[in-house]
């Protein structure tokens, strides 16, 4: 069921595949970009023959173009696009049975934590939330019921890394499935399948679309067996991405490489500025030499990304002051768009976690998270400087 049909691009560079993979498949008018096919249904020529699509819940030509593009970028066999990142997580969780145990991080995305800790725990799945920055904690959590390890690296918002190869090794020795949420870095900066992970998922809402105008998700698989399972589940659960949204993601992904370069150039400049500022206690950014896993970041990533957090000195009112005094940085949740965002995880993105879970994950009232856009880094630094000193 391999549907990454763009073999002619397979040997080409990442940026070339971003622009071309999956895209030029329209022969009706020779359009250079992929048409949007909003059609819910596709007519048959006889009782055996259609053109590969019959109903948009099961498959759609616009969505398939985007899926083939992302499969190529992640180095996977197949991709299925879902309505949101959370529906990608939901789909993957339906690969398990009540009683199955899954090991994951204690500082994973708040929505994923809620889905695991509340919804899927209620229907009988079991989870261990451990500090995955030390692989020994993963090893120690394995039981006879363990079926999978859910990896998210770097973590949100404190940018802890998981050593992907080390966790894959543990998984292989116990015959466990590995799944990686690769949203924070995108396939331009990290490709977990190449490190032995079985399944990669994304919130395409973030860097893959990159323009803060879509919610979507995707699941990339690397074996026929997993590809068929995911294809079946997305159709059966009815969680496919809409053709319009898939078209926007496909358009966004064409500039993924140049955008990530601009994003991380700004992030490094902002991180160095914050590290030297007297109002700032600590900066969490894997690109800084002071990050405890800087060497691991250099090893398993091809860049440091554009998400960073810091602790502002003082009290909660200082956090609020900095978050509300910026002009360029918009006070908003989400990440990965061309515009820079600022937020306070303790009362925004991570509110779906209990306070005790937030503290256990290291989130304080002083934690501020930044998603660095592609604006001029000097302007971003000037904006943060005036907010910190207001
Ligand atoms: C945003 C996000 C999700 C959820 O994606 P939605 O598109 O908001 O449903 C999952 N994981 C990570 C790391 C995210 O940043």
């Amino acid at each position: 069921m391999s549907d990454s049909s763009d073999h002619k691009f397979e040997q080409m560079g990442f940026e070339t595949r971003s622009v071309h993979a999956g895209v030029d498949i329209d022969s009706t008018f020779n359009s250079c970009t992929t048409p949007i096919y909003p059609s819910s249904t596709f007519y048959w020529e006889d009782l055996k023959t259609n053109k590969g699509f019959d109903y948009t819940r099961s498959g759609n030509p616009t969505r398939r173009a985007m899926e083939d593009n992302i499969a190529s970028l992640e180095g996977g066999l197949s991709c299925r696009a879902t309505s949101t990142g959370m529906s990608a997580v939901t789909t993957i969780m339906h690969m398990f049975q009540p009683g199955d145990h899954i090991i994951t991080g204690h500082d994973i995305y708040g929505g994923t934590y809620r889905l695991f800790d509340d919804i899927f725990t209620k229907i009988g799945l079991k989870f261990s939330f451990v500090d995955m920055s030390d692989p020994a904690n993963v090893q120690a959590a394995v039981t006879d019921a363990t079926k999978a390890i859910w990896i998210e690296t770097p973590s949100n918002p404190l940018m802890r890394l998981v050593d992907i190869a080390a966790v894959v090794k543990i998984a292989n020795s116990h015959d466990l499935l590995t799944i990686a949420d690769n949203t924070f870095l995108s396939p331009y900066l990290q490709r977990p399948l190449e490190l032995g992970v079985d399944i990669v998922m994304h919130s395409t809402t973030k860097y893959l679309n990159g323009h803060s105008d879509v919610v979507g998700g995707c699941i990339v698989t690397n074996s026929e067996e997993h590809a068929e399972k995911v294809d079946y589940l997305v159709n059966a659960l009815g969680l496919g991405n809409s053709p319009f949204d898939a078209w926007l993601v496909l358009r966004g992904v064409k500039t993924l490489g140049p955008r990530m370069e601009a994003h991380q150039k700004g992030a490094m400049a902002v991180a160095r500025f914050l590290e030297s500022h007297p109002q700032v206690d600590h900066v969490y950014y894997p690109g800084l030499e002071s990050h405890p896993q800087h060497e691991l970041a250099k090893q398993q990533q091809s860049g440091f990304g554009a998400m960073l957090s810091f602790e502002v000195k003082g009290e909660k009112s200082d956090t609020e002051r900095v978050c509300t005094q910026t002009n360029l940085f918009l006070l908003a949740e989400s990440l990965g768009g061309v515009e820079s965002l600022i937020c306070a995880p303790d009362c925004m993105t991570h509110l779906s976690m209990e306070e005790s879970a937030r503290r256990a994950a290291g989130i304080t009232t002083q934690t501020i998270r930044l998603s660095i856009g592609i604006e001029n880094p000097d302007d971003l630094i000037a904006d943060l400087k005036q907010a910190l000193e207001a």
Side-chain angles (χ1 to χ4, degrees):
M1 206 201 57
S2 164
D3 39 43
S4 284
S5 50
D6 290 275
H7 297 299
K8 62 186 165 174
F9 298 116
E10 232 162 57
Q11 303 305 318
M12 297 191 186
F14 188 94
E15 297 84 349
T16 311
R17 285 179 283 127
S18 302
V19 174
H20 291 288
V23 168
D24 52 346
I25 52 169
D26 174 59
S27 55
T28 312
F29 298 109
N30 291 355
S31 83
C32 295
T33 61
T34 307
I36 306 174
Y37 291 98
S39 193
S40 56
T41 186
F42 298 84
Y43 67 85
W44 296 46
E45 276 136 52
D46 57 49
L47 292 185
K48 291 192 299 292
T49 322
N50 59 39
K51 291 201 168 173
F53 297 97
D54 54 16
Y55 188 58
T56 279
R57 170 157 47 73
S58 344
N60 174 278
T62 311
R63 188 160 79 223
R64 186 58 44 84
M66 181 267 249
E67 292 168 338
D68 288 351
N69 186 293
I70 294 177
S72 167
L73 298 184
E74 282 287 0
L77 182 67
S78 173
C79 171
R80 286 292 173 267
T82 55
S83 56
T84 60
M86 292 323 300
S87 61
V89 184
T90 301
T91 302
I92 295 166
M93 281 302 115
H94 278 87
M95 296 171 78
F96 302 104
Q97 312 287 329
D100 287 355
H101 173 243
I102 294 150
I103 300 167
T104 188
H106 69 326
D107 51 0
I108 54 172
Y109 177 72
T112 307
Y113 180 88
R114 174 174 55 194
L115 194 62
F116 289 176
D117 184 54
D118 186 16
I119 316 282
F120 281 102
T121 295
K122 273 189 195 137
I123 58 180
L125 299 189
K126 296 190 161 53
F127 297 89
S128 289
F129 300 95
V130 306
D131 179 354
M132 284 179 67
S133 61
D134 182 357
N137 295 333
V138 177
Q139 174 69 52
V142 176
T143 70
D144 289 345
T146 308
K147 290 290 186 304
I149 305 175
W150 183 280
I151 301 165
E152 190 180 311
T153 180
S155 75
N156 177 11
L158 298 188
M159 311 303 292
R160 292 191 190 97
L161 267 56
V162 177
D163 184 335
I164 299 176
V167 168
V168 164
K169 203 167 155 205
I170 295 167
N172 289 345
S173 70
H174 298 278
D175 208 15
L176 310 177
L177 192 71
T178 44
I179 304 143
D181 182 337
N182 203 26
T183 301
F184 262 41
L185 287 175
S186 91
Y188 184 68
L189 299 179
Q190 177 169 273
R191 285 184 295 282
L193 298 178
E194 290 175 1
L195 298 170
V197 164
D198 297 303
I199 297 175
V200 164
M201 60 95 16
H202 280 274
S203 166
T204 58
T205 312
K206 317 294 168 51
Y207 290 105
L208 288 174
N209 179 59
H211 294 76
S212 310
D213 49 14
V214 159
V215 289
C218 71
I219 304 163
V220 186
T221 48
N222 215 5
S223 73
E224 298 280 348
E225 185 202 342
H226 293 148
E228 269 169 37
K229 236 182 227 175
V230 168
D231 179 67
Y232 173 80
L233 286 171
V234 171
N235 180 43
L237 294 164
L239 295 178
N241 202 201
S242 89
F244 285 101
D245 290 351
W247 184 84
L248 278 167
V249 173
L250 181 60
R251 190 176 70 157
V253 94
K254 291 176 194 181
T255 57
L256 180 63
R259 274 191 288 110
M260 293 313 291
E261 290 295 344
H263 278 295
Q264 60 178 358
K265 182 172 161 237
M268 185 57 101
V270 166
R272 292 218 185 283
F273 160 75
L274 289 171
E275 205 173 36
S276 68
H277 199 281
Q279 277 292 107
V280 173
D281 248 346
H282 193 87
V283 183
Y284 304 95
Y285 183 60
L288 294 174
E289 294 76 11
S290 60
H291 189 284
Q293 294 164 300
H294 179 62
E295 288 305 316
L296 175 61
K298 285 205 281 194
Q299 195 183 311
Q300 75 180 13
Q301 305 174 189
S302 46
F304 302 116
M307 292 302 297
L308 60 101
S309 295
F310 64 98
E311 300 286 314
V312 65
K313 282 189 182 153
E315 301 164 17
K316 198 171 170 183
S317 57
D318 296 289
T319 308
E320 178 148 24
R321 173 176 53 81
V322 174
C323 286
T324 53
Q325 289 290 325
T326 54
N327 300 313
L328 271 178
F329 282 86
L330 303 171
L331 179 57
E333 299 187 356
S334 197
L335 59 118
V338 291
E339 58 288 289
S340 292
L341 305 178
I342 188 166
C343 78
D346 196 45
C347 39
M348 295 174 72
T349 50
H350 288 66
L351 252 192
S352 54
M353 292 167 87
E354 295 287 336
E355 186 177 353
S356 57
R358 292 200 296 272
R359 297 295 172 260
I363 300 165
T364 76
T365 57
Q366 304 312 111
T367 310
I368 295 182
R369 188 186 83 177
L370 303 177
S371 170
I372 304 298
I374 62 168
E375 301 94 335
N376 187 308
D378 294 341
D379 296 329
L380 296 176
I381 289 170
D383 191 31
L384 287 170
K385 185 168 169 18
Q386 63 79 28
L388 283 164
E389 293 164 16

